[in-house]
Amino acid sequence: MSFRGFRIAALDQGIVSGSNFLVGLIVARFLGIEAFGLYASLWVWTAFFNSVQFSVIVSPMMSLSEKFKHANSFYTVIFVNQSLFFLTSLVLLTLIGFGTAYIYRAQNVNEWLLLFVLASGFANLQDFLRRYCYSQGKEIKAFIVDFINYFALLLSLFLTEIYLGLSLINVFQAILFSSLLSIALFFFSNRVTTDFSDFSTYHSKVWQTAKWLLPSSVLQWGNANSPLLILGAAYGPLYAGIFKACQNVMAVCMVFVQALENVVPRRFAVQLMEYGVGKVLQSTHKLLVQLGILMILVIGGGFLLSEQVLVAVYGDKYTEY
């Protein structure tokens, strides 16, 4: 990746992370605490399937793409796996939606369940397609696809709140609309060629990479999201909403961390080849110190100014928590 590609990748990830951060704040502020708790408890499963998708499909695609980027059979395996994963996730998300509604005794399940399943499935499909652009070295196309997706999503949420008021249903409608718009743009501007020769060979190579990543991805997701699920199951959507809303404020740290994901690993690889291990260790130490200072400042500020921060972000309704 060229220096220009690095800058585009960093800007793109900044848009993705920053927009997800803003969406969480907007939905928490205007949806209502209890409805937001239900939304958060449902959407956390989108993150689960995204984590699985990343480990079994995206990561092998990214790590093997340079070696097989001219092999249509390799990308055929990737797209077949993604298609099967997409359909399987829709079925499992339907069961999860029913289970969550039963635990929370949610109302009007038939009105939002299908929208949740489709919004979740297509949001993860959109994320796969943006990663595909990166594996092809098409950073500008990835940026455009993401920009359209998040611009449409944020605009939809703002207009809906102004003219109708946010509800669980139209939040899922906005996510589904923006994802479909971005996916349509991808297929309009990209040609995907299939080739089923040597399918089993490439499938084996992909699985050899994926099988080591899947357990760690599931464990990482469980470690990050089990408090929300346990709290919601024990005390209901109100407390799940409170927990997630407060967690969202501190997630500003992750905006910076995730913005580095498309840049730092490859830059460190270049340093390793050109200057050796010592330079990489020096850069790693410097980066960790900078991120550590940033997180200490954010967490310390949140601790000392928690009430003021919650009022500024969400209004008065969260301050008692």
Side-chain angles (χ1 to χ4, degrees):
M1 182 185 288
S2 65
F3 180 68
R4 182 188 180 204
F6 277 131
R7 289 187 298 175
I8 294 173
L11 178 60
D12 178 43
Q13 189 60 54
I15 289 175
V16 172
S17 301
S19 297
N20 283 327
F21 176 68
L22 287 176
V23 168
L25 298 186
I26 292 168
V27 175
R29 183 181 179 98
F30 297 113
L31 195 59
I33 301 176
E34 193 161 347
F36 176 67
L38 176 58
Y39 164 82
S41 298
L42 290 168
W43 205 250
V44 75
W45 292 101
T46 305
F48 170 78
F49 286 104
N50 185 267
S51 179
V52 174
Q53 174 180 278
F54 187 85
S55 62
V56 301
I57 299 172
V58 172
S59 187
M61 176 180 68
M62 298 291 285
S63 61
L64 299 174
S65 61
E66 191 64 28
K67 185 177 182 180
F68 301 125
K69 63 181 178 181
H70 298 299
N72 288 330
S73 297
F74 170 71
Y75 282 104
T76 299
V77 169
I78 295 296
F79 272 88
V80 168
N81 288 348
Q82 177 63 34
S83 300
L84 293 174
F85 177 83
F86 174 75
L87 295 174
T88 303
S89 68
L90 293 183
V91 174
L92 295 177
L93 283 165
T94 302
L95 299 176
I96 289 168
F98 274 120
T100 303
Y102 175 78
I103 292 172
Y104 284 177
R105 296 179 174 83
Q107 303 297 316
N108 305 319
V109 178
N110 60 321
E111 295 182 5
W112 55 257
L113 179 60
L114 180 60
L115 285 171
F116 157 65
V117 172
L118 293 178
S120 179
F122 281 106
N124 280 336
L125 178 59
Q126 189 275 338
D127 184 72
F128 161 76
L129 294 176
R130 68 180 286 267
R131 305 279 187 172
Y132 169 79
C133 290
Y134 278 113
S135 76
Q136 292 278 292
K138 300 175 180 177
E139 292 87 5
I140 294 178
K141 285 190 175 182
F143 174 81
I144 293 173
V145 165
D146 281 334
F147 180 82
I148 293 297
N149 178 42
Y150 286 100
F151 178 79
L153 176 56
L154 290 170
L155 182 62
S156 299
L157 291 175
F158 275 119
L159 292 178
T160 301
E161 171 58 24
I162 291 171
Y163 292 105
L164 298 174
L166 281 184
S167 68
L168 192 64
I169 293 171
N170 51 40
V171 167
F172 288 141
Q173 287 174 335
I175 296 172
L176 178 58
F177 166 74
S178 61
S179 298
L180 288 175
L181 183 64
S182 178
I183 291 168
L185 176 64
F186 169 86
F187 283 108
F188 179 78
S189 59
N190 290 272
R191 181 182 178 184
V192 179
T193 304
T194 57
D195 181 359
F196 287 90
S197 60
D198 297 322
F199 184 90
S200 59
T201 300
Y202 286 110
H203 185 273
S204 176
K205 292 181 182 297
V206 168
W207 178 244
Q208 286 174 8
T209 302
K211 66 182 180 181
W212 300 107
L213 299 173
L214 181 58
S216 62
S217 294
V218 173
L219 183 63
Q220 183 180 14
W221 174 88
N223 182 59
N225 296 291
S226 56
L228 172 67
L229 295 175
I230 293 171
L231 191 62
Y235 297 105
L238 176 67
Y239 287 90
I242 294 164
F243 177 83
K244 185 61 177 177
C246 296
Q247 191 180 54
N248 279 350
V249 175
M250 304 311 298
V252 66
C253 293
M254 294 307 298
V255 173
F256 297 99
V257 173
Q258 291 171 357
L260 297 172
E261 285 183 346
N262 289 335
V263 178
V264 170
R266 295 191 181 189
R267 282 198 169 177
F268 280 11
V270 172
Q271 289 181 359
L272 179 64
M273 290 186 292
E274 294 184 356
Y275 304 107
V277 176
K279 179 64 175 178
V280 174
L281 293 176
Q282 181 183 352
S283 299
T284 302
H285 179 265
K286 181 179 179 181
L287 180 62
L288 289 175
V289 170
Q290 291 172 341
L291 288 176
I293 293 172
L294 173 65
M295 291 186 179
I296 290 171
L297 291 174
V298 172
I299 294 172
F303 179 76
L304 296 173
L305 304 171
S306 57
E307 183 172 349
Q308 293 88 335
V309 170
L310 288 174
V311 170
V313 175
Y314 297 123
D316 296 332
K317 58 187 175 183
Y318 285 90
T319 54
E320 62 182 290
Y321 307 105

